Amino acid sequence: MTARADPRALVRSRSYVGLLLVAALLGAPISAAAYGFLALVGYLQRELFVHLPAELGFAAAPAWWPLPLLAVAGLLVAWVIRYLPGTGGHSPADGFKAGGTPAPIELPGVVAAALLTLCLGAVLGPEAPLIALGGGLAVLAGRLLRRDMPAPAMAVVAAAGSFASVSTLLGSPILGAFLLMEASGLGGAMLSLTLLPGLLAAGIGALVFVGLNSWTGLGTFSLSIPNLPPYTHPSLAEFGWALAIGLAAALVGTAVRRFALLIRPHVEKRSFVLTPLLGIVIAGLAIGYAQTTGKSSSDVLFSGQTALGPLITNASGYSVGAIVLLLVCKGLAYSLSLSGFRGGPVFPSLFLGAAGGVALSHLPGMSLVGGVAMGMGALCASMLMLPLTSVMLATLLLLSDGAAVMPLVIVATVVAYVVTSRLTPRPAATAGATQRDDEP
């Protein structure tokens, strides 16, 4: 290996030190932009679903309130996808994608589609738009700093921007790094070379999030689940349940994804008619759940990011029937949102997995924390096909309980990942290539 190809030599080079400096400089403004995006989402959700009904004279938002908002969301998202550059970002029905940084001209469409999706009630999360926003802003800044920046260096800068924008949302820069590394498939020398600038940008971004929270008082916007009951150690019965939960999560995740992929081509052909119709059906599911159970329609709407903690801490207030109906309505709304809207698939999968764990905690030999942890890890792995990230998400979110419950999460996640892989058809090109390799 030559000195130029040696990663240790590259780390010592002046050009790499320059990349670290660029990552450090970009970490603060990109994290501030991500914080502003999340703050705007939270503000608009409150204005549209809480304050606007009051200003119109309603004592509280009427039961039908989500219908017009989600219909408008579908119409406007369809317009953004059709007429703005970049189609509003990649379709979340294809799964989580960390690559493919949008060009600067595509950023307005990505942000607009994400805001309309997240603020008006569709069931998707903010992580994919944040990754695209961070990477796109980093590329824009890199071009302004140096127009002739080599493509590999630009890729590192884009990755650092994505790290900075998404890491604190997940509660830990390390967790954000795992998500992006596993999704991008980086390994070997490129892993360490990309990781260092990304971690530096993410660390600075975490400080920016803390500072802005203290200054504005708006909140950290980081996913966390406090006030959980203590969990000591797994039982033998729970290990048996881990196998069943992994299998069930694989079936549910595959069904959600396949239904989204089944209807997506039809939505794309007649987007101005069918995307608003999707919004109306999602609203109908939320209204039906709320009217049947007496719970809030927000359990079904939105990504589930802010509702996840209250669902678990108030689990005793949900009957088994209410939780089962929530799983059905949220799962269908999630699948419909994947097919026509724009956002990320992570948070709804965590919420659905946690809801399934709450339902299973009523069974013999199953604890609440164990069921929630296994459900989150297994369904997240089935939807994202990122097993390491899924294990870390499910355990780190449970704070002090995470270490004790990790063996169960690993078993459930591995089963879900393997079964989902078996249920997922191979692409035609891959299958053909494999067949030719086997031929004499």
Side-chain angles (χ1 to χ4, degrees):
M1 179 179 290
T2 64
R4 180 176 292 274
D6 185 356
R8 290 171 295 182
L10 286 172
V11 170
R12 292 193 297 266
S13 67
R14 292 181 61 185
S15 60
Y16 190 79
V17 173
L19 276 180
L20 289 175
L21 179 60
V22 170
L25 292 174
L26 292 178
I30 289 177
S31 296
Y35 186 93
F37 176 85
L38 294 172
L40 180 59
V41 169
Y43 170 79
L44 290 176
Q45 286 178 351
R46 290 190 299 272
E47 287 297 314
L48 292 170
F49 284 86
V50 178
H51 296 157
L52 182 58
E55 292 177 0
L56 294 177
F58 296 103
W64 51 262
W65 189 255
L67 285 170
L69 294 184
L70 275 159
V72 170
L75 183 63
L76 295 179
V77 168
W79 186 91
V80 170
I81 292 172
R82 176 72 62 86
Y83 292 111
L84 292 187
T87 66
H90 79 271
S91 171
D94 293 324
F96 184 83
K97 292 185 177 180
T101 302
I105 195 175
E106 297 173 350
L107 287 179
V110 172
V111 172
L115 284 175
L116 292 166
T117 295
L118 300 173
C119 297
L120 293 172
V123 187
L124 291 171
E127 71 285 346
L130 280 181
I131 289 171
L133 177 64
L137 290 176
V139 168
L140 178 60
R143 290 178 179 175
L144 293 175
L145 291 172
R146 182 180 173 185
R147 292 186 175 275
D148 61 342
M149 183 179 292
M154 188 64 76
V156 172
V157 169
S162 295
F163 273 56
S165 64
V166 76
S167 292
T168 309
L169 170 67
L170 300 175
S172 166
I174 297 297
L175 184 51
F178 258 84
L179 174 67
L180 292 170
M181 287 187 301
E182 190 175 14
S184 62
L186 290 174
M190 278 303 299
L191 174 60
S192 59
L193 293 175
T194 304
L195 178 60
L196 289 178
L199 284 177
L200 178 60
I204 292 174
L207 295 176
V208 170
F209 263 62
V210 172
L212 288 173
N213 173 44
S214 177
W215 178 52
T216 65
L218 294 176
T220 63
F221 304 108
S222 297
L223 182 62
S224 62
I225 308 174
N227 304 320
L228 290 172
Y231 184 88
T232 54
H233 57 81
S235 66
L236 183 61
E238 285 179 318
F239 275 105
W241 281 118
L243 300 174
I245 289 174
L247 175 60
L251 296 175
V252 171
T254 300
V256 168
R257 188 173 54 255
R258 285 193 178 182
F259 185 55
L261 292 172
L262 177 66
I263 63 177
R264 184 179 64 177
H266 305 286
V267 174
E268 291 175 343
K269 289 178 181 178
R270 303 183 63 191
S271 59
F272 282 98
V273 174
L274 294 183
T275 313
L277 181 59
L278 290 180
I280 292 172
V281 175
I282 292 169
L285 290 167
I287 294 169
Y289 163 80
Q291 294 298 300
T292 302
T293 63
K295 302 294 183 181
S296 173
S297 61
S298 62
D299 285 353
V300 173
L301 302 177
F302 309 112
S303 68
Q305 175 187 351
T306 58
L308 181 58
L311 171 71
I312 298 171
T313 54
N314 300 320
S316 59
Y318 286 80
S319 67
V320 175
I323 288 291
V324 171
L325 184 60
L326 174 59
L327 285 168
V328 172
C329 293
K330 186 85 170 185
L332 286 172
Y334 182 25
S335 188
L336 295 174
S337 299
L338 287 169
S339 68
F341 290 87
R342 292 293 186 264
V346 174
F347 290 102
S349 68
L350 291 174
F351 185 91
L352 279 175
V358 170
L360 293 173
S361 67
H362 294 274
L363 296 174
M366 175 67 74
S367 66
L368 173 64
V369 172
V372 165
M374 287 186 283
M376 288 194 299
L379 193 56
C380 189
S382 179
M383 289 301 302
L384 307 185
M385 297 305 290
L386 303 176
L388 295 178
T389 299
S390 300
V391 170
M392 291 193 67
L393 272 169
T395 53
L396 290 181
L397 295 181
L398 298 179
L399 303 176
S400 59
D401 291 338
V405 82
M406 184 179 287
L408 297 175
V409 176
I410 292 173
V411 173
T413 299
V414 169
V415 171
Y417 178 78
V418 172
V419 174
T420 302
S421 299
R422 298 287 296 179
L423 295 174
T424 303
R426 291 183 301 172
T430 303
T434 304
Q435 183 177 4
R436 287 192 296 272
D437 290 340
D438 294 339
E439 290 175 355

